[in-house]
Amino acid sequence: MPSPAAATRRRLLVIHNPVAGGRRARRLGAVLELLEQRHGAAVTLQATGGRGDAEAMARAVAPDAFDAVVAAGGDGTINEVLNGLVARGGDAAVPLGIVPLGTANVLAHELNLPLDAEGVARVLAKGRPLPVHPGVANGRAFAMMAGAGLDARVVERVDPQLKRRIGKGAYAVETLARIAAGGGGPYRVAVDGAEPVEVASVIVAKGHFYGGRFVCAPDARLTDPWLQVCLFPRMGRGNALRYLWGVTAGRLPRFPDYRVLPARRVEIDGPVGEPVQGDGDVIARLPVEIALAPWILSVLVP
């Protein structure tokens, strides 16, 4: 007769990017050691070699081979694994686990996941599956947010080497550079088939955190079957700086010109080919249709 420990032993596929070094690599090593030695988990480790590998690995998982597929990395790696899992169609019920190793770890914050090795290992070994409603942008899934405008141009242009050296500071540097350069937009946003409105930037949120622990859409929740459309209507460098201050200072909801609308489907038009960011990576180009995903994904949480 199997022991209680054997009965609850989880089989985990951990997909990670070996480019991450230093403290992040040590944290992953500590998580894996705790999973195997303390929690008795059966861990299979697969390293990516380039963009798209994490998605392909998650998509290729054989039915019933693992109890969860774990993304070890930042929000971009998690997004790849998410897309690999949902591409499996009816087998998308394989839960997603997360080892937060990124710069912002927005999804981890949204799910209130621990960031320390012991806490991460405990969630992966013992956590419960939480059903969440992702969004899709031109068929590409995202967990937290998608956007067109300033934030998408920043995501497209941010220097990866500077990001590795100074973390979130790289986004601040690139944001100021994009504001100074100007350009982009305007964008026409149609919510649930209504007449389009013209804006300087738009963020379609599934979670309420943005860029870490900043808040753009206070009512957005991963577990709710709704999108929250954040509209930044006024053009110009001065307004871009004002909105940036509003986000970082937590005062954005008090701006009289700022609006957040619930939606099921959003169409964004603008300069053809401009980037659309999703979960901190470019996932589409304008024009784009954003909607709720037709499936639910389970994520391991405390």
Side-chain angles (χ1 to χ4, degrees), residues 3 55 69 78 89 93 153 178 214 256 263 265 273 284:
S3 66
E55 180 176 347
V69 175
I78 296 168
R153 296 198 302 276
R178 290 305 98 214
F214 302 125
R265 183 172 58 88

Side-chain angles (χ1 to χ4, degrees), residues 118-213:
E118 284 196 17
V120 171
R122 185 171 57 252
V123 171
L124 296 178
K126 309 291 185 184
R128 63 185 175 89
L130 177 74
V132 302
H133 295 264
V136 287
N138 283 359
R140 185 78 182 171
F142 63 91
M144 283 297 298
M145 88 294 285
L150 177 61
D151 71 331
R153 296 198 302 276
V154 168
V155 164
E156 184 176 49
R157 295 289 295 272
V158 70
D159 185 336
Q161 293 184 353
L162 186 63
K163 181 180 171 182
R164 281 193 288 270
R165 290 201 303 270
I166 65 174
K168 292 180 185 179
Y171 288 98
V173 170
E174 190 59 39
T175 297
L176 294 176
R178 290 305 98 214
I179 291 175
Y187 308 94
R188 293 169 296 282
V189 183
V191 175
D192 287 335
E195 191 71 19
V197 296
E198 194 168 276
V199 299
S201 278
V202 54
I203 295 169
V204 180
K206 271 302 295 134
H208 75 295
F209 282 142
Y210 174 83
R213 291 184 179 272

Side-chain angles (χ1 to χ4, degrees), residues 7-296:
T8 59
R9 174 185 171 112
R10 273 188 176 161
R11 302 162 302 160
L12 304 173
L13 171 62
V14 179
I15 299 173
H16 81 109
N17 182 351
V19 172
R23 289 184 303 169
R24 296 177 185 181
R26 289 193 294 273
R27 191 191 314 165
L28 174 59
V31 169
L32 297 177
E33 183 177 353
L34 287 164
L35 281 170
E36 293 179 328
Q37 297 187 8
R38 181 176 299 180
H39 297 288
V43 178
T44 300
L45 191 64
Q46 289 189 358
T48 63
R51 187 179 178 89
D53 284 359
E55 180 176 347
M57 290 171 180
R59 186 188 300 116
V61 170
D64 300 320
F66 297 99
D67 299 309
V69 175
V70 179
D75 291 304
T77 301
I78 296 168
N79 180 270
E80 278 202 28
V81 175
L82 162 67
N83 275 277
L85 289 177
V86 301
R88 298 159 56 83
D91 199 36
V94 180
L96 169 68
I98 297 171
V99 180
L101 300 176
T103 302
N105 297 313
V106 186
L107 181 57
H109 290 311
E110 185 77 19
L111 294 167
N112 198 29
L113 296 178
L115 300 181
D116 64 289
E118 284 196 17
V120 171
R122 185 171 57 252
V123 171
L124 296 178
K126 309 291 185 184
R128 63 185 175 89
L130 177 74
V132 302
H133 295 264
V136 287
N138 283 359
R140 185 78 182 171
F142 63 91
M144 283 297 298
M145 88 294 285
L150 177 61
D151 71 331
R153 296 198 302 276
V154 168
V155 164
E156 184 176 49
R157 295 289 295 272
V158 70
D159 185 336
Q161 293 184 353
L162 186 63
K163 181 180 171 182
R164 281 193 288 270
R165 290 201 303 270
I166 65 174
K168 292 180 185 179
Y171 288 98
V173 170
E174 190 59 39
T175 297
L176 294 176
R178 290 305 98 214
I179 291 175
Y187 308 94
R188 293 169 296 282
V189 183
V191 175
D192 287 335
E195 191 71 19
V197 296
E198 194 168 276
V199 299
S201 278
V202 54
I203 295 169
V204 180
K206 271 302 295 134
H208 75 295
F209 282 142
Y210 174 83
R213 291 184 179 272
F214 302 125
V215 177
C216 288
D219 295 331
R221 294 296 182 273
L222 296 175
T223 52
D224 290 345
W226 287 96
L227 304 166
Q228 298 288 332
V229 186
C230 307
L231 301 174
F232 302 80
R234 297 187 181 178
M235 303 286 294
R237 294 180 179 88
N239 283 309
L241 287 169
R242 182 171 63 92
Y243 292 136
L244 177 62
W245 175 79
V247 171
T248 55
R251 299 183 66 86
L252 193 58
R254 301 185 186 185
F255 288 8
D257 58 322
Y258 175 71
R259 289 192 294 159
V260 182
L261 303 175
R264 302 270 189 180
R265 183 172 58 88
V266 185
E267 295 171 274
I268 305 173
D269 199 3
V272 173
E274 271 208 20
V276 176
Q277 72 91 4
D279 294 340
D281 206 352
V282 175
I283 62 170
R285 299 279 171 178
L286 291 179
V288 65
E289 180 176 325
I290 300 175
L292 284 168
W295 22 252
I296 292 174

